[in-house]
């Protein structure tokens, strides 16, 4: 009985305590696109976070990294995401409408 | 080529600021005609050009202008108006038809340069009209919003055309 209790206690602690070395929870950051505009032009995200562009516009756009690390097609009323793992500063723009641009800073 | 042009009118209440100018077209009429003209020019470019960048630009013109036109048509349908032609829209159509006829005789880099140079001039003209006259005059909120979005789009097109014109020499 005592052993069973001890086992249950260990399991309970194990279930509630975070595992050593487990990654922090990632966050999904949303960029709304409409009326020819990225509604967020400067984001700060952590490594492992995801950025989702939601195209509410009537036009086709893209979210394209200047360093070619991602190139997402955004048809009207669609969305696309990228997970960013490497710290740094990423400039992105729309390939079809280059005046639309933004910056993502990835830092811990 | 222009038999499918759809001229759009808006109710008197929406074009009251323009009523004093009896020859002035309605705002959606200008926006729609301008967009249709550019679609026609773009389709000619897609039929004639072998330059990948010119073709990509023309594809973008067809896609983007069709989106604006579809939105403009949805707006006038919502407002319950009947399309009608007018002297200004006819003048725009006639001028565009003259260009199309002239460019049909061109080929290769001569056509590419003529098409892109005209796109620069055309977008400058439309953008000037939008920012100087049509947007300030528009009273319907949805119409004004569509024209403002159209202006941002056409400004992007103008920049793209200018950049493309430089590469063609």
């Amino acid at each position: 009985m005592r052993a069973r209790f001890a086992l249950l206690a260990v399991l309970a602690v194990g279930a509630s305590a975070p595992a050593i070395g487990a990654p922090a929870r990632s966050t999904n950051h949303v960029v709304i696109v409409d009326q020819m505009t990225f509604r967020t032009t400067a984001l700060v995200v952590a490594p492992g976070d995801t950025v989702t562009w939601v195209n509410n516009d009537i036009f086709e756009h893209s979210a394209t990294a200047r360093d070619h690390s991602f190139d997402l097609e955004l048809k009207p009323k669609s969305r696309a995401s990228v997970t960013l793992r490497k710290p740094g500063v990423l400039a992105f723009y729309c390939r079809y409408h280059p005046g639309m641009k933004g910056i993502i800073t990835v830092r811990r | 080529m222009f038999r499918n042009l759809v001229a759009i009118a808006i109710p008197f209440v929406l074009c009251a600021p323009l009523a004093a100018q009896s020859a002035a077209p309605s705002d959606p009429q200008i926006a729609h005609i301008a967009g249709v003209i550019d679609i026609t020019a773009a389709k000619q470019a897609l039929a004639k050009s072998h330059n990948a960048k010119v073709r990509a630009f023309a594809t973008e013109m067809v896609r983007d202008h069709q989106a604006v036109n579809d939105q403009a048509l949805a707006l006038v349908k919502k407002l319950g108006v009947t399309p009608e032609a007018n002297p200004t829209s006819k003048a725009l159509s006639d001028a565009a038809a003259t260009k199309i006829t002239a460019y049909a005789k061109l080929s290769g880099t001569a056509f590419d340069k003529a098409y892109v140079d005209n796109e620069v001039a055309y977008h400058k003209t439309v953008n000037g009209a939008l920012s100087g006259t049509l947007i300030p005059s528009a009273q319907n909120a949805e119409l004004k919003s569509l024209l403002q979005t159209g202006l941002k789009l056409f400004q992007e097109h103008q920049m793209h055309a200018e950049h493309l014109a430089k590469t063609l020499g």
Side-chain angles (χ1 to χ4, degrees):
Chain A
M1 183 69 174
R2 192 178 293 172
R4 188 181 299 171
F5 179 79
L7 175 62
L8 285 171
V10 167
L11 288 172
V13 168
S16 61
I20 296 170
R25 289 181 184 169
S26 62
T27 302
N28 182 38
H29 305 262
V30 176
V31 177
I32 301 294
V33 190
D34 72 352
Q35 296 187 330
M36 292 291 297
T37 305
F38 289 125
R39 290 296 172 191
T40 306
T41 54
L43 298 92
V44 179
V45 309
D49 283 359
T50 299
V51 180
T52 298
W53 284 265
V54 179
N55 186 7
N56 291 337
D57 213 346
I58 60 175
F59 308 113
E60 181 167 341
H61 296 294
S62 82
T64 305
R66 293 267 182 214
D67 69 356
H68 310 291
S69 56
F70 62 84
D71 184 10
L72 306 173
E73 285 291 336
L74 298 167
K75 300 265 185 216
K77 313 303 177 190
S78 76
R79 60 180 62 201
S81 304
V82 66
T83 299
L84 302 170
R85 303 189 193 283
K86 187 178 165 187
V89 177
L90 280 168
F92 66 90
Y93 70 109
C94 172
R95 271 189 286 106
Y96 306 115
H97 314 107
M100 294 171 60
K101 46 196 173 186
I103 296 266
I104 303 171
T105 302
V106 185
R107 66 168 176 236
R108 295 191 173 86
Chain B
M1 188 177 298
F2 292 95
R3 60 184 180 275
N4 292 324
L5 272 176
V6 177
I8 301 166
I10 54 175
F12 175 78
V13 64
L14 293 175
C15 58
L18 300 176
Q21 306 165 37
S22 55
S26 63
D27 298 343
Q29 203 160 7
I30 284 286
H32 183 70
I33 294 297
V36 170
I37 288 171
D38 209 45
I39 290 175
T40 306
K43 286 183 176 176
Q44 183 184 45
L46 287 170
K48 291 178 72 66
S49 178
H50 300 287
N51 182 302
K53 289 182 179 176
V54 172
R55 295 182 63 78
F57 174 81
T59 299
E60 182 185 321
M61 293 305 105
V62 172
R63 187 178 57 229
D64 284 352
H65 283 274
Q66 192 62 61
V68 174
N69 294 345
D70 289 348
Q71 196 78 348
L73 282 171
L75 178 58
V76 295
K77 185 178 177 183
K78 180 180 172 182
L79 297 172
V81 300
T82 303
E84 67 178 40
N86 68 83
T88 303
S89 63
K90 187 175 184 315
L92 282 171
S93 299
D94 289 348
T98 302
K99 291 282 185 190
I100 293 287
T101 302
Y103 295 166
K105 299 171 187 170
L106 302 176
S107 61
T109 53
F111 170 82
D112 291 342
K113 192 166 180 352
Y115 167 65
V116 175
D117 285 348
N118 190 58
E119 287 295 298
V120 172
Y122 167 76
H123 280 92
K124 273 185 187 170
T125 300
V126 171
N127 291 343
L130 278 168
S131 57
T133 304
L134 302 181
I135 292 172
S137 299
Q139 290 188 334
N140 178 272
E142 285 183 88
L143 168 62
K144 192 184 273 285
S145 177
L146 179 61
L147 293 175
Q148 286 166 334
T149 299
L151 176 59
K152 284 185 202 172
L153 177 74
F154 301 155
Q155 285 170 334
E156 287 286 339
H157 289 174
Q158 182 182 329
M159 282 193 283
H160 190 165
E162 286 168 344
H163 177 75
L164 186 54
K166 282 181 190 169
T167 68
L168 294 176

